[in-house]
Amino acid sequence: MHLRDLTQFLAELSENNNRPWFIMNKPRYDILRAEFLDLVTTLIADMARVDPLLADCNPKKALFRINRDMRFSHVKIPYKTTFSAAIIPNGLKKPSDGGGPSYYFQIDAYGTLLVAGGEYMPPADRLRLIRHHVIDDAAGFHKMLKNKAFRKRFGGLQQEGKLTRPPKGFDAAEPQIEMIKLKNFIAWTETKLDINAPELLERELAQTFKDVLPLVQWLRQA
């Protein structure tokens, strides 16, 4: 993956986020997307060794489109300024559409790599299952959170968007209530890429995904 070319393209796109510019630079985008697809393909094969459920994941389905959905957005810019992918066993659904726990990463114009794992904004029925799983398997849940590699890499689950009150149907006196208030069960981390050493990207991604594997596996039990 030519990281210097990718970040340069995304930086220029950020300044010229319009259809005419994108059409003029479509050949550059096509080359970069093909390289990104190769990266995701290799990453899936690597991860399938430790997470066999990923073996049938379609790399093309894992990539997010660069076109933005502007139907419900107040920001009327047509293109995303990141390259991103979500690796899920079925390879078909986004995590927010009920695809279950996923591995996610994105690269932006500044060379920032964001890597995440878990479930972001799961639908209501799925979120209810996860919350009950926290209660039913409290010991397993906290064992996962205390996993040495997971804790060192991520620190814990993200607390953003946490409810201030217990969700409907859950007792405020429940010992796990603070975790039940979470709306996302996800861990993420950001690092600055060395664009002069693109060979390190795949290694960084694979190791970070392996570190978040305990969370992914626990969520699959829900």
Side-chain angles (χ1 to χ4, degrees):
M1 185 89 216
H2 291 86
L3 290 177
R4 184 179 294 278
D5 293 344
L6 174 60
T7 55
Q8 181 64 34
F9 174 83
L10 292 174
E12 293 178 27
L13 177 58
S14 299
E15 297 176 357
N16 304 275
N17 204 319
N18 58 74
R19 182 171 172 77
W21 184 92
F22 189 82
I23 292 175
M24 287 289 293
N25 290 272
K26 183 68 160 45
R28 294 171 62 194
Y29 168 75
D30 289 340
I31 292 171
L32 290 167
R33 184 175 174 83
E35 291 183 352
F36 193 67
L37 177 60
D38 287 343
L39 170 65
V40 172
T41 301
T42 302
L43 187 58
I44 290 173
D46 187 12
M47 282 300 298
R49 297 188 183 97
V50 294
D51 189 351
L53 291 182
L54 298 181
D56 295 326
C57 179
N58 185 337
K60 291 183 179 179
K61 296 291 186 179
L63 270 60
F64 283 94
R65 298 171 67 245
I66 199 167
N67 301 76
R68 294 181 67 252
D69 185 351
M70 298 187 291
R71 291 175 299 173
F72 310 108
S73 176
H74 297 296
V75 182
K76 301 301 181 182
I77 54 176
Y79 304 106
K80 301 170 187 173
T81 54
T82 60
F83 270 36
S84 57
I87 300 174
I88 310 172
N90 59 32
L92 297 175
K93 295 180 179 179
K94 299 176 184 177
S96 58
D97 292 335
S102 70
Y103 304 89
Y104 172 86
F105 77 98
Q106 70 175 38
I107 302 171
D108 68 13
Y110 302 100
T112 301
L113 173 67
L114 184 150
V115 187
E119 295 193 46
Y120 176 73
M121 297 297 289
D125 56 344
R126 173 65 183 160
L127 181 57
R128 191 176 305 110
L129 285 173
I130 296 172
R131 285 169 168 165
H132 280 292
H133 189 42
V134 170
I135 296 173
D136 296 339
D137 185 34
F141 179 68
H142 288 283
K143 180 180 179 181
M144 176 272 296
L145 292 178
K146 293 177 181 177
N147 177 276
K148 186 176 180 180
F150 174 81
R151 190 173 68 250
K152 181 178 180 180
R153 176 78 69 170
F154 301 100
L157 297 177
Q158 291 301 310
Q159 304 289 313
E160 295 178 6
K162 186 176 181 179
L163 297 174
T164 56
R165 297 181 179 180
K168 184 178 179 180
F170 291 89
D171 190 342
E174 163 59 45
Q176 310 303 323
I177 195 62
E178 289 307 312
M179 288 300 179
I180 290 170
K181 290 179 183 178
L182 294 174
K183 293 192 292 184
N184 305 302
F185 284 79
I186 193 166
W188 63 271
T189 183
E190 285 185 333
T191 55
K192 191 72 172 178
L193 292 171
D194 183 351
I195 61 175
N196 296 312
E199 69 278 0
L200 299 179
L201 174 58
E202 181 188 332
R203 190 187 312 166
E204 176 72 15
L205 282 169
Q207 187 56 58
T208 307
F209 282 164
K210 289 170 185 175
D211 290 343
V212 84
L213 180 60
L215 171 61
V216 170
Q217 291 178 323
W218 183 88
L219 285 167
R220 285 178 183 159
Q221 298 170 11

